[in-house]
mmCIF file with all atom_site columns, all heavy atoms in Angstrom:
data_model
loop_
_atom_site.group_PDB
_atom_site.id
_atom_site.type_symbol
_atom_site.label_atom_id
_atom_site.label_alt_id
_atom_site.label_comp_id
_atom_site.label_asym_id
_atom_site.label_entity_id
_atom_site.label_seq_id
_atom_site.pdbx_PDB_ins_code
_atom_site.Cartn_x
_atom_site.Cartn_y
_atom_site.Cartn_z
_atom_site.occupancy
_atom_site.B_iso_or_equiv
_atom_site.pdbx_formal_charge
_atom_site.auth_seq_id
_atom_site.auth_comp_id
_atom_site.auth_asym_id
_atom_site.auth_atom_id
_atom_site.pdbx_PDB_model_num
ATOM 1   N N   . ALA A 1 215 ? -13.769 -9.541  3.487   1.00 0.00 ? 215 ALA A N   1
ATOM 2   C CA  . ALA A 1 215 ? -12.667 -8.948  2.736   1.00 0.00 ? 215 ALA A CA  1
ATOM 3   C C   . ALA A 1 215 ? -12.052 -9.964  1.780   1.00 0.00 ? 215 ALA A C   1
ATOM 4   O O   . ALA A 1 215 ? -11.833 -9.675  0.593   1.00 0.00 ? 215 ALA A O   1
ATOM 5   C CB  . ALA A 1 215 ? -11.610 -8.419  3.702   1.00 0.00 ? 215 ALA A CB  1
ATOM 6   N N   . ILE A 1 216 ? -11.790 -11.147 2.279   1.00 0.00 ? 216 ILE A N   1
ATOM 7   C CA  . ILE A 1 216 ? -11.186 -12.179 1.438   1.00 0.00 ? 216 ILE A CA  1
ATOM 8   C C   . ILE A 1 216 ? -12.146 -12.609 0.339   1.00 0.00 ? 216 ILE A C   1
ATOM 9   O O   . ILE A 1 216 ? -11.739 -12.818 -0.826  1.00 0.00 ? 216 ILE A O   1
ATOM 10  C CB  . ILE A 1 216 ? -10.756 -13.379 2.294   1.00 0.00 ? 216 ILE A CB  1
ATOM 11  C CG1 . ILE A 1 216 ? -9.619  -12.975 3.240   1.00 0.00 ? 216 ILE A CG1 1
ATOM 12  C CG2 . ILE A 1 216 ? -10.355 -14.558 1.418   1.00 0.00 ? 216 ILE A CG2 1
ATOM 13  C CD1 . ILE A 1 216 ? -8.374  -12.462 2.551   1.00 0.00 ? 216 ILE A CD1 1
ATOM 14  N N   . GLN A 1 217 ? -13.415 -12.716 0.654   1.00 0.00 ? 217 GLN A N   1
ATOM 15  C CA  . GLN A 1 217 ? -14.395 -13.098 -0.370  1.00 0.00 ? 217 GLN A CA  1
ATOM 16  C C   . GLN A 1 217 ? -14.420 -12.080 -1.512  1.00 0.00 ? 217 GLN A C   1
ATOM 17  O O   . GLN A 1 217 ? -14.506 -12.452 -2.687  1.00 0.00 ? 217 GLN A O   1
ATOM 18  C CB  . GLN A 1 217 ? -15.780 -13.231 0.257   1.00 0.00 ? 217 GLN A CB  1
ATOM 19  C CG  . GLN A 1 217 ? -15.956 -14.486 1.096   1.00 0.00 ? 217 GLN A CG  1
ATOM 20  C CD  . GLN A 1 217 ? -17.314 -14.565 1.762   1.00 0.00 ? 217 GLN A CD  1
ATOM 21  O OE1 . GLN A 1 217 ? -17.978 -13.551 1.997   1.00 0.00 ? 217 GLN A OE1 1
ATOM 22  N NE2 . GLN A 1 217 ? -17.732 -15.783 2.093   1.00 0.00 ? 217 GLN A NE2 1
ATOM 23  N N   . LYS A 1 218 ? -14.336 -10.789 -1.177  1.00 0.00 ? 218 LYS A N   1
ATOM 24  C CA  . LYS A 1 218 ? -14.369 -9.750  -2.218  1.00 0.00 ? 218 LYS A CA  1
ATOM 25  C C   . LYS A 1 218 ? -13.135 -9.836  -3.112  1.00 0.00 ? 218 LYS A C   1
ATOM 26  O O   . LYS A 1 218 ? -13.245 -9.717  -4.342  1.00 0.00 ? 218 LYS A O   1
ATOM 27  C CB  . LYS A 1 218 ? -14.480 -8.370  -1.576  1.00 0.00 ? 218 LYS A CB  1
ATOM 28  C CG  . LYS A 1 218 ? -15.854 -8.097  -0.973  1.00 0.00 ? 218 LYS A CG  1
ATOM 29  C CD  . LYS A 1 218 ? -15.926 -6.732  -0.313  1.00 0.00 ? 218 LYS A CD  1
ATOM 30  C CE  . LYS A 1 218 ? -17.305 -6.506  0.297   1.00 0.00 ? 218 LYS A CE  1
ATOM 31  N NZ  . LYS A 1 218 ? -17.416 -5.178  0.958   1.00 0.00 ? 218 LYS A NZ  1
ATOM 32  N N   . TRP A 1 219 ? -11.975 -10.041 -2.529  1.00 0.00 ? 219 TRP A N   1
ATOM 33  C CA  . TRP A 1 219 ? -10.767 -10.154 -3.342  1.00 0.00 ? 219 TRP A CA  1
ATOM 34  C C   . TRP A 1 219 ? -10.803 -11.416 -4.192  1.00 0.00 ? 219 TRP A C   1
ATOM 35  O O   . TRP A 1 219 ? -10.367 -11.410 -5.352  1.00 0.00 ? 219 TRP A O   1
ATOM 36  C CB  . TRP A 1 219 ? -9.524  -10.117 -2.454  1.00 0.00 ? 219 TRP A CB  1
ATOM 37  C CG  . TRP A 1 219 ? -9.121  -8.706  -2.123  1.00 0.00 ? 219 TRP A CG  1
ATOM 38  C CD1 . TRP A 1 219 ? -9.437  -7.983  -1.008  1.00 0.00 ? 219 TRP A CD1 1
ATOM 39  C CD2 . TRP A 1 219 ? -8.363  -7.833  -2.961  1.00 0.00 ? 219 TRP A CD2 1
ATOM 40  N NE1 . TRP A 1 219 ? -8.920  -6.716  -1.094  1.00 0.00 ? 219 TRP A NE1 1
ATOM 41  C CE2 . TRP A 1 219 ? -8.253  -6.598  -2.282  1.00 0.00 ? 219 TRP A CE2 1
ATOM 42  C CE3 . TRP A 1 219 ? -7.753  -7.976  -4.204  1.00 0.00 ? 219 TRP A CE3 1
ATOM 43  C CZ2 . TRP A 1 219 ? -7.557  -5.510  -2.818  1.00 0.00 ? 219 TRP A CZ2 1
ATOM 44  C CZ3 . TRP A 1 219 ? -7.057  -6.898  -4.748  1.00 0.00 ? 219 TRP A CZ3 1
ATOM 45  C CH2 . TRP A 1 219 ? -6.964  -5.683  -4.054  1.00 0.00 ? 219 TRP A CH2 1
ATOM 46  N N   . CYS A 1 220 ? -11.340 -12.493 -3.641  1.00 0.00 ? 220 CYS A N   1
ATOM 47  C CA  . CYS A 1 220 ? -11.384 -13.761 -4.385  1.00 0.00 ? 220 CYS A CA  1
ATOM 48  C C   . CYS A 1 220 ? -12.433 -13.774 -5.488  1.00 0.00 ? 220 CYS A C   1
ATOM 49  O O   . CYS A 1 220 ? -12.416 -14.665 -6.348  1.00 0.00 ? 220 CYS A O   1
ATOM 50  C CB  . CYS A 1 220 ? -11.619 -14.923 -3.427  1.00 0.00 ? 220 CYS A CB  1
ATOM 51  S SG  . CYS A 1 220 ? -10.186 -15.337 -2.398  1.00 0.00 ? 220 CYS A SG  1
ATOM 52  N N   . CYS A 1 221 ? -13.338 -12.818 -5.473  1.00 0.00 ? 221 CYS A N   1
ATOM 53  C CA  . CYS A 1 221 ? -14.332 -12.742 -6.547  1.00 0.00 ? 221 CYS A CA  1
ATOM 54  C C   . CYS A 1 221 ? -13.676 -12.434 -7.892  1.00 0.00 ? 221 CYS A C   1
ATOM 55  O O   . CYS A 1 221 ? -14.191 -12.820 -8.946  1.00 0.00 ? 221 CYS A O   1
ATOM 56  C CB  . CYS A 1 221 ? -15.376 -11.670 -6.235  1.00 0.00 ? 221 CYS A CB  1
ATOM 57  S SG  . CYS A 1 221 ? -16.643 -12.198 -5.074  1.00 0.00 ? 221 CYS A SG  1
ATOM 58  N N   . GLU A 1 222 ? -12.529 -11.718 -7.864  1.00 0.00 ? 222 GLU A N   1
ATOM 59  C CA  . GLU A 1 222 ? -11.913 -11.282 -9.110  1.00 0.00 ? 222 GLU A CA  1
ATOM 60  C C   . GLU A 1 222 ? -10.453 -11.689 -9.244  1.00 0.00 ? 222 GLU A C   1
ATOM 61  O O   . GLU A 1 222 ? -9.833  -11.414 -10.280 1.00 0.00 ? 222 GLU A O   1
ATOM 62  C CB  . GLU A 1 222 ? -12.043 -9.764  -9.251  1.00 0.00 ? 222 GLU A CB  1
ATOM 63  C CG  . GLU A 1 222 ? -13.484 -9.284  -9.319  1.00 0.00 ? 222 GLU A CG  1
ATOM 64  C CD  . GLU A 1 222 ? -13.590 -7.820  -9.668  1.00 0.00 ? 222 GLU A CD  1
ATOM 65  O OE1 . GLU A 1 222 ? -13.275 -7.469  -10.818 1.00 0.00 ? 222 GLU A OE1 1
ATOM 66  O OE2 . GLU A 1 222 ? -13.977 -7.035  -8.801  1.00 0.00 ? 222 GLU A OE2 1
ATOM 67  N N   . ALA A 1 223 ? -9.889  -12.303 -8.227  1.00 0.00 ? 223 ALA A N   1
ATOM 68  C CA  . ALA A 1 223 ? -8.514  -12.774 -8.298  1.00 0.00 ? 223 ALA A CA  1
ATOM 69  C C   . ALA A 1 223 ? -8.478  -14.248 -7.911  1.00 0.00 ? 223 ALA A C   1
ATOM 70  O O   . ALA A 1 223 ? -9.273  -14.691 -7.077  1.00 0.00 ? 223 ALA A O   1
ATOM 71  C CB  . ALA A 1 223 ? -7.621  -11.964 -7.363  1.00 0.00 ? 223 ALA A CB  1
ATOM 72  N N   . PRO A 1 224 ? -7.583  -15.022 -8.484  1.00 0.00 ? 224 PRO A N   1
ATOM 73  C CA  . PRO A 1 224 ? -7.484  -16.440 -8.107  1.00 0.00 ? 224 PRO A CA  1
ATOM 74  C C   . PRO A 1 224 ? -7.164  -16.569 -6.613  1.00 0.00 ? 224 PRO A C   1
ATOM 75  O O   . PRO A 1 224 ? -6.238  -15.915 -6.122  1.00 0.00 ? 224 PRO A O   1
ATOM 76  C CB  . PRO A 1 224 ? -6.318  -16.957 -8.957  1.00 0.00 ? 224 PRO A CB  1
ATOM 77  C CG  . PRO A 1 224 ? -6.173  -15.973 -10.069 1.00 0.00 ? 224 PRO A CG  1
ATOM 78  C CD  . PRO A 1 224 ? -6.599  -14.644 -9.520  1.00 0.00 ? 224 PRO A CD  1
ATOM 79  N N   . PRO A 1 225 ? -7.900  -17.381 -5.878  1.00 0.00 ? 225 PRO A N   1
ATOM 80  C CA  . PRO A 1 225 ? -7.598  -17.558 -4.450  1.00 0.00 ? 225 PRO A CA  1
ATOM 81  C C   . PRO A 1 225 ? -6.144  -17.935 -4.184  1.00 0.00 ? 225 PRO A C   1
ATOM 82  O O   . PRO A 1 225 ? -5.576  -17.548 -3.159  1.00 0.00 ? 225 PRO A O   1
ATOM 83  C CB  . PRO A 1 225 ? -8.551  -18.677 -4.031  1.00 0.00 ? 225 PRO A CB  1
ATOM 84  C CG  . PRO A 1 225 ? -9.707  -18.554 -4.971  1.00 0.00 ? 225 PRO A CG  1
ATOM 85  C CD  . PRO A 1 225 ? -9.101  -18.134 -6.276  1.00 0.00 ? 225 PRO A CD  1
ATOM 86  N N   . SER A 1 226 ? -5.529  -18.638 -5.126  1.00 0.00 ? 226 SER A N   1
ATOM 87  C CA  . SER A 1 226 ? -4.135  -19.058 -4.944  1.00 0.00 ? 226 SER A CA  1
ATOM 88  C C   . SER A 1 226 ? -3.169  -17.877 -4.912  1.00 0.00 ? 226 SER A C   1
ATOM 89  O O   . SER A 1 226 ? -2.025  -18.019 -4.452  1.00 0.00 ? 226 SER A O   1
ATOM 90  C CB  . SER A 1 226 ? -3.721  -20.022 -6.059  1.00 0.00 ? 226 SER A CB  1
ATOM 91  O OG  . SER A 1 226 ? -3.830  -19.392 -7.326  1.00 0.00 ? 226 SER A OG  1
ATOM 92  N N   . LYS A 1 227 ? -3.621  -16.710 -5.408  1.00 0.00 ? 227 LYS A N   1
ATOM 93  C CA  . LYS A 1 227 ? -2.783  -15.511 -5.354  1.00 0.00 ? 227 LYS A CA  1
ATOM 94  C C   . LYS A 1 227 ? -3.115  -14.610 -4.165  1.00 0.00 ? 227 LYS A C   1
ATOM 95  O O   . LYS A 1 227 ? -2.464  -13.577 -3.975  1.00 0.00 ? 227 LYS A O   1
ATOM 96  C CB  . LYS A 1 227 ? -2.917  -14.709 -6.654  1.00 0.00 ? 227 LYS A CB  1
ATOM 97  C CG  . LYS A 1 227 ? -2.144  -15.297 -7.819  1.00 0.00 ? 227 LYS A CG  1
ATOM 98  C CD  . LYS A 1 227 ? -1.966  -14.291 -8.936  1.00 0.00 ? 227 LYS A CD  1
ATOM 99  C CE  . LYS A 1 227 ? -1.062  -14.857 -10.027 1.00 0.00 ? 227 LYS A CE  1
ATOM 100 N NZ  . LYS A 1 227 ? -0.749  -13.861 -11.087 1.00 0.00 ? 227 LYS A NZ  1
#
Side-chain angles (χ1 to χ4, degrees):
I216 294 301
Q217 286 177 336
K218 288 179 181 180
W219 277 96
C220 287
C221 280
E222 298 189 69
S226 61
K227 283 197 174 185

